[in-house]
């Protein structure tokens, strides 16, 4: 068999004349001069066809895949070269001061780009279908294809891992809120800075009790598997408005390093099937939050006319929700939080153990909560004494007061000395 060997761009290639074997880098080969430039081109083209067939590896990432955006951003960071074609992605970041900063990311636009990774050149083809839509998002269907020499799949695995880690790092210390769009979850708004758990002041022991229960649940999947119990846990926080139910769930998610998937059960078009699907594809490490759960359904005690008003709205049914909650089985911890202002309006079937494992009342302030809230707002030598006095005055008024009202009052007196805050307490109930 005749082996042809030639040298091109620093590499020496060899292939059989009969073209039955793929070309390979020849061991110990020396460059040979081919008789004419035409011959050289023919050999080169032939060898490249074979080379592509046998020695190129491509990875196709469709826009519906979770890693699609990560990958585009990673490629930009790695410095896609030989391209002047960029598209912009605008996002918002919350700084430590709470200020929102606008961030512009340039990502490779539709077309061809090249970058180098671990010594290998990689070609990026970002293509957009003109006639195919991603039906859920209503945007043209896109694909990114990476092509590189060799047959090492590990290269792509490493790229995807790096892209994922880089994307997660960007949101370190942040809580991402997801909302349901079609059949999938999409982040909405900007990722929020984690709220410290102790900034939500609940009755003594309540925060620790819920946190300990969540941690126990998350850290013991084995316990559930061994007993054949679905690995999920449901929580219900009920109580008057402005007492910290939503704020606590946000802060708890931050503490657990979870994100939050908010589901609006009253949404038209949220059918039982869609709900079921959404619950089973919720992002990893996320809390499913069903707020104001009482507003989504008519209770069994409601009048026929009230029930009729709900009919035909193409919404999730009560029995559909019960089934979905039962069916939320997944290999990783599934945490569902529900909130309501009206516990008595909830159907007992919804809050029976298994669907709701822990029910906690989050109510108006007691003296200790008022004191702690004061201390979170005012510092100084006499802060403890002022806090005690303020809390006594407020509680002695014998009127219900929510933490939101106390917070509003402190914000009104943001620039007042603590002494003034002690004298104007009636304003707590009259401010906005
Ligand atoms: N216990 C608390 N400690 C600190 N701040 C609180 C507390 N409760 C409420 N707040 C403040 O009051 C505002 C409203 O709170 P939040 O929305 O969490 O109340 P909620 O109980 O969920 O109300 P709703 O039932 O109306 O949804 C927030 O800005 C929050 O910071």
């Amino acid at each position: 068999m005749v082996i042809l060997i030639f040298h091109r761009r620093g590499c020496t290639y060899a292939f059989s004349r009969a073209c039955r074997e793929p070309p390979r880098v020849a061991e110990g080969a020396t460059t040979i001069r081919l008789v004419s430039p035409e011959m050289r081109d023919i050999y080169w083209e032939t060898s490249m066809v074979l080379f592509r067939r046998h020695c190129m590896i491509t990875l196709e990432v469709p826009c519906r895949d979770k890693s699609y955006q990560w990958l585009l951003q990673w490629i930009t960071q790695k410095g896609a070269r030989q391209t002047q074609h960029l598209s912009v992605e605008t996002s918002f970041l919350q700084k430590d001061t709470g200020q929102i900063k606008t961030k512009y990311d340039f990502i490779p636009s539709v077309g061809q780009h090249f970058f180098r990774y671990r010594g290998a050149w990689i070609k990026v083809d970002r293509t957009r279908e003109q006639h195919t839509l991603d039906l859920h998002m209503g945007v043209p269907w896109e694909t990114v294809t990476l092509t590189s020499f060799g047959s090492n799949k590990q290269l792509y695995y490493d790229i995807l891992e790096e892209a994922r880690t880089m994307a997660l790092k960007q949101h370190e210390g942040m809580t991402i809120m997801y909302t349901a769009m079609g059949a999938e979850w999409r982040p909405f708004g900007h990722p929020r800075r984690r709220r410290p758990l102790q900034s939500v002041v609940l009755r003594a022991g309540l925060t620790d009790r819920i946190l300990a229960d969540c941690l126990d649940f998350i850290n013991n999947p084995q316990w559930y598997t061994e007993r054949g119990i679905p690995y999920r846990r449901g929580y219900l926080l009920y109580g008057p408005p402005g007492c910290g139910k939503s704020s606590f769930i946000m802060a708890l998610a931050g503490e657990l390093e979870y994100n939050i998937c908010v589901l609006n059960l009253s949404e038209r078009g949220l059918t039982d099937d869609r709900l079921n699907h959404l619950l089973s594809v919720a992002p990893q490490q996320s809390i499913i939050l069903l707020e104001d759960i009482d507003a989504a359904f008519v209770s069994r005690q409601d009048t026929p006319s009230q029930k009729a008003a709900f009919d035909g709205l193409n919404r999730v049914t009560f029995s559909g929700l019960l089934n979905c909650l039962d069916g939320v089985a997944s290999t990783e911890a599934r945490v569902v939080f529900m909130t309501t202002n009206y516990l008595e309006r909830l159907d007992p079937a919804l809050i029976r153990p298994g669907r709701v494992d822990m029910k906690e009342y989050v109510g108006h302030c007691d003296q200790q909560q008022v004191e702690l809230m004061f201390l979170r707002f005012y510092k100084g030598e006499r802060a403890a004494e002022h806090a005690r006095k303020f809390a006594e005055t407020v509680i002695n008024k014998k009127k219900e007061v929510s933490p939101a009202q106390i917070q509003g009052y402190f914000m009104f007196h943001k620039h007042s000395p603590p002494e003034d805050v002690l004298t104007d307490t009636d304003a707590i109930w009259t401010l906005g």
Side-chain angles (χ1 to χ4, degrees):
M1 185 195 301
V2 180
I3 302 287
L4 292 173
I5 299 169
F6 66 93
H7 196 76
R8 179 127 175 160
R9 292 190 188 147
C11 270
T12 306
Y13 295 100
F15 61 99
S16 77
R17 190 151 190 209
C19 296
R20 286 202 200 98
E21 284 186 8
R24 56 197 148 78
V25 176
E27 251 172 61
T30 50
T31 310
I32 61 158
R33 215 175 268 280
L34 295 166
V35 278
S36 69
E38 291 77 32
M39 278 296 282
R40 189 200 57 207
D41 287 347
I42 291 167
Y43 288 142
W44 172 246
E45 287 310 321
T46 320
S47 94
M48 284 315 286
V49 168
L50 284 164
F51 193 74
R52 275 193 205 106
R53 194 177 300 156
H54 296 280
C55 299
M56 286 184 107
I57 180 160
T58 59
L59 172 78
E60 198 175 292
V61 185
C63 58
R64 288 288 301 282
D65 194 89
K66 286 190 181 66
S67 51
Y68 185 76
Q69 282 303 327
W70 301 343
L71 189 61
L72 283 181
Q73 277 172 3
W74 181 86
I75 292 169
T76 313
Q77 280 262 325
K78 285 282 145 191
R81 305 212 192 133
Q82 301 189 3
T83 180
Q84 299 297 318
H85 305 292
L86 298 168
S87 23
V88 69
E89 280 223 326
T90 309
S91 53
F92 301 100
L93 282 182
Q94 195 172 21
K95 295 203 281 189
D96 286 346
T97 54
Q99 225 183 350
I100 307 291
K101 195 179 133 220
T102 312
K103 189 167 162 272
Y104 302 105
D105 283 316
F106 291 111
I107 55 171
S109 71
V110 170
Q112 276 193 355
H113 314 266
F114 294 87
F115 69 94
R116 228 171 139 74
Y117 180 69
R118 298 199 183 151
W121 276 104
I122 297 183
K123 183 168 78 131
V124 182
D125 276 301
R126 182 175 171 193
T127 52
R128 183 175 291 159
E129 298 282 335
Q130 292 304 328
H131 304 294
T132 317
L133 278 186
D134 175 345
L135 285 177
H136 295 303
M137 300 304 295
V139 292
W141 185 264
E142 287 190 7
T143 315
V144 164
T145 310
L146 303 185
T147 308
S148 73
F149 293 115
S151 55
N152 181 10
K153 282 194 210 105
Q154 186 64 31
L155 190 75
Y156 290 143
Y157 181 80
D158 293 347
I159 287 177
L160 292 175
E161 260 311 291
E162 264 189 41
R164 187 183 75 92
T165 315
M166 194 187 89
L168 294 185
K169 226 184 174 96
Q170 260 185 0
H171 295 141
E172 227 169 37
M174 304 276 189
T175 306
I176 303 175
M177 307 288 288
Y178 290 93
T179 186
M181 271 202 173
E184 56 187 58
W185 294 95
R186 292 271 164 165
F188 80 93
H190 49 84
R192 296 159 199 218
R193 203 156 36 93
R194 282 185 193 147
R195 179 172 179 159
L197 200 51
Q198 58 281 13
S199 77
V200 186
V201 184
L202 302 184
R203 293 232 163 167
L206 182 52
T207 299
D208 291 345
R209 206 162 52 243
I210 301 176
L211 178 63
D213 190 275
C214 281
L215 287 174
D216 181 62
F217 167 67
I218 290 166
N219 295 330
N220 290 301
Q222 198 67 18
W223 191 92
Y224 287 80
T225 334
E226 279 167 11
R227 286 158 186 79
I229 303 171
Y231 190 31
R232 59 167 185 259
R233 194 129 179 105
Y235 298 84
L236 174 72
L237 302 186
Y238 64 97
C243 291
K245 298 179 291 299
S246 311
S247 310
F248 175 76
I249 296 165
M250 273 296 289
L252 180 74
E255 182 72 25
L256 299 173
E257 300 188 4
Y258 269 45
N259 294 311
I260 298 185
C261 295
V262 186
L263 251 183
N264 177 7
L265 291 179
S266 316
E267 183 194 315
R268 284 187 185 201
L270 180 66
T271 58
D272 294 352
D273 284 347
R274 212 181 121 211
L275 175 67
N276 208 355
H277 174 77
L278 284 167
L279 291 181
S280 58
V281 297
Q284 291 185 337
Q285 303 217 164
S286 57
I287 287 177
I288 309 281
L289 175 58
L290 311 175
E291 279 203 296
D292 298 323
I293 187 98
D294 56 281
F297 301 103
V298 281
S299 105
R300 287 182 192 174
Q301 280 91 46
D302 277 330
T303 61
S305 63
Q306 281 171 311
K307 283 185 178 173
F310 268 70
D311 285 346
L313 287 182
N314 196 19
R315 299 200 315 193
V316 77
T317 64
F318 183 66
S319 61
L321 173 67
L322 297 186
N323 289 336
C324 288
L325 288 175
D326 285 340
V328 183
S330 94
T331 45
E332 57 143 343
R334 175 63 70 230
V335 182
V336 179
F337 265 85
M338 302 180 207
T339 67
T340 182
N341 296 132
Y342 307 99
L343 179 67
E344 66 286 355
R345 290 189 191 168
L346 298 184
D347 195 296
L350 180 62
I351 51 177
R352 68 129 167 85
R355 294 195 181 113
V356 170
D357 304 287
M358 194 174 186
K359 299 181 202 65
E360 291 291 351
Y361 176 69
V362 180
H364 290 119
C365 291
D366 64 9
Q367 190 164 334
Q368 191 187 16
Q369 273 173 282
V370 179
E371 214 173 308
L372 284 172
M373 284 193 74
F374 187 99
L375 289 171
R376 288 203 62 79
F377 277 80
Y378 302 99
K379 308 284 172 210
E381 260 177 35
R382 300 180 61 200
E385 179 198 331
H386 286 146
R388 213 167 25 252
K389 208 162 165 190
F390 176 77
E392 262 170 33
T393 317
V394 172
I395 296 299
N396 285 339
K397 301 263 180 201
K398 304 258 182 264
K399 290 191 208 166
E400 286 175 338
V401 62
S402 69
Q405 284 173 304
I406 300 278
Q407 177 181 284
Y409 176 73
F410 290 157
M411 284 166 74
F412 180 73
H413 280 293
K414 194 155 85 186
H415 301 297
S416 316
E419 292 79 359
D420 290 2
V421 182
L422 300 179
T423 53
D424 186 28
T425 45
D426 280 333
I428 292 174
W429 290 272
T430 53
L431 285 171

